């Protein structure tokens, strides 16, 4: 991976950003991929990488954020609207569904059930927040996850319940696709199209120079993942036709 501006800034501050190792695989071209969302953040970078590798991409979104990438099939609709979902699946089939923007279990599950007989498998981008122990203790693929929210909880969604909701989305997709699912719970994502701004604000401020009053422990390591490595890893999962549940974070800094 080429050293990005983010990587140079992190290195300048004594921090490390590492590239996650990608599994070796034979490149499979011309897969048919449906991306739910696909106009910004991980979804947009994934779409661009899939196109660069020669795959056929369809995006399904409301068209209310950024512009769709060129060279893809665009289907407008809202995943919360059943008639829009029925229009999406009419006469279409895919090898994979990729969901990078699911937050509410009932909504994610409704879409997954309709798509389960129109696609061979599903990739769901979850979050490391599904682990109650994170970030105060180390977590791995075998760590406990939050209990899924009830229907009453979903009716009163709040950001404080984000981890529990993502855990519910994971289960909803796994049930709909009967195990034909790759669930990726990444940590902090950085790089092109990153739009949260949690760490990038600090990096831009540090790049301006001068003294910076910053929170946290200066010697504490962090494990951000470059968005380009994450999307390449997602495509590797598709190409290998695997159904893993790995943590999408780079190795710990030494």
């Amino acid at each position: 991976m080429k050293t990005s501006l983010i990587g140079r800034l992190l290195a300048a501050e004594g921090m490390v950003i590492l590239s996650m190792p990608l599994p070796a695989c034979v490149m499979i071209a011309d897969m048919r991929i449906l991306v739910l969302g696909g106009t910004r953040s991980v979804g947009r970078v994934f779409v661009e990488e899939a196109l660069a590798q020669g795959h056929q991409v369809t995006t399904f979104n409301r068209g209310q954020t950024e512009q769709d990438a060129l060279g893809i099939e665009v289907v407008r609709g809202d995943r919360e609207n059943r008639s829009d979902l029925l229009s999406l699946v009419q006469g279409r089939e895919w090898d994979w569904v990729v969901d990078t923007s699911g937050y509410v279990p009932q909504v994610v599950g409704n879409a997954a059930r309709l798509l389960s007989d129109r696609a061979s498998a599903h990739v769901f981008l979850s979050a490391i927040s599904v682990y109650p122990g994170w970030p105060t203790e180390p977590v791995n693929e075998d760590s406990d996850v939050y209990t899924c929210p009830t229907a009453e909880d979903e009716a009163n969604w709040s950001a404080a319940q984000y981890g529990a909701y993502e855990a519910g989305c994971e289960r909803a997709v796994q049930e709909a696709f009967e195990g034909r699912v790759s669930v990726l719970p990444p940590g902090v994502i950085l790089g092109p199209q990153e739009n949260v701004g949690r760490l990038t604000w600090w990096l831009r401020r540090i790049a301006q120079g001068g003294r910076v009053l910053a929170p946290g422990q200066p010697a504490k390591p962090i494990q951000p993942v470059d968005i380009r490595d994450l999307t390449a890893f997602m495509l590797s999962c598709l190409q290998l036709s695997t159904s893993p549940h790995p943590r999408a974070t780079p190795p710990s800094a030494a």
Side-chain angles (χ1 to χ4, degrees):
M1 181 183 70
K2 294 182 179 179
T3 303
S4 63
L5 172 61
I6 290 173
R8 294 197 297 273
L9 289 172
L10 285 170
E13 294 302 310
M15 295 181 273
V16 179
I17 183 167
L18 299 174
S19 174
M20 76 166 60
L22 302 181
C25 64
V26 176
M27 301 299 288
I28 303 175
D30 204 25
M31 288 190 296
R32 297 165 300 168
I33 304 171
L34 168 65
V35 180
L36 302 180
T39 59
R40 63 180 180 180
S41 192
V42 177
R44 178 55 179 261
V45 178
F46 178 87
V47 167
E48 292 174 349
E49 180 65 21
L51 287 173
Q53 293 190 20
H55 303 301
Q56 301 177 42
V57 179
T58 300
T59 59
F60 177 69
N61 57 64
R62 296 173 298 172
Q64 295 181 0
T65 53
E66 308 295 335
Q67 294 292 320
D68 289 275
L70 298 177
I72 64 174
E73 179 188 25
V74 178
V75 180
R76 292 283 183 244
D78 189 333
R79 71 161 80 197
E80 296 189 35
N81 187 315
R82 182 174 175 81
S83 64
D84 288 351
L85 289 170
L86 291 173
S87 296
L88 169 67
V89 300
Q90 185 66 38
R92 296 184 178 90
E93 292 184 342
W94 301 274
D95 297 306
W96 284 86
V97 176
V98 176
D99 188 353
T100 64
S101 57
Y103 300 104
V104 180
Q106 183 176 357
V107 174
V108 169
N110 288 342
R113 283 186 287 275
L114 276 175
L115 291 166
S116 61
D117 64 350
R118 295 290 180 168
S120 300
H122 195 298
V123 171
F124 182 74
L125 189 72
S126 183
I128 203 167
S129 300
V130 299
Y131 301 112
W134 184 84
T136 57
E137 61 186 49
V139 296
N140 59 37
E141 292 85 350
D142 299 319
S143 298
D144 291 335
V145 299
Y146 278 106
T147 301
C148 300
T150 65
E152 182 178 353
D153 290 333
E154 289 193 36
N156 300 284
W157 190 92
S158 71
Q161 298 170 298
Y162 175 62
Y165 275 72
E166 287 296 281
C169 290
E170 290 183 5
R171 179 173 296 180
V173 171
Q174 289 165 339
E175 290 177 351
F177 273 78
E178 299 179 342
R180 297 171 287 129
V181 180
S182 294
V183 176
L184 302 177
V188 176
I189 303 170
L190 301 175
Q193 298 287 334
E194 190 274 325
N195 61 353
V196 176
R198 287 175 297 188
L199 183 58
T200 50
W201 185 93
W202 292 101
L203 296 176
R204 293 190 183 98
R205 174 62 188 88
I206 291 167
Q208 294 174 8
R211 299 184 64 182
V212 179
L213 180 64
Q217 300 291 330
K220 185 176 181 179
I222 59 175
Q223 289 179 265
V225 59
D226 190 294
I227 197 169
R228 292 159 292 191
D229 289 343
L230 176 60
T231 53
F233 183 75
M234 292 166 65
L235 275 166
S236 293
C237 291
L238 272 62
Q239 292 160 339
L240 287 168
S241 296
T242 56
S243 297
H245 193 137
R247 289 170 300 126
T249 59
S252 298

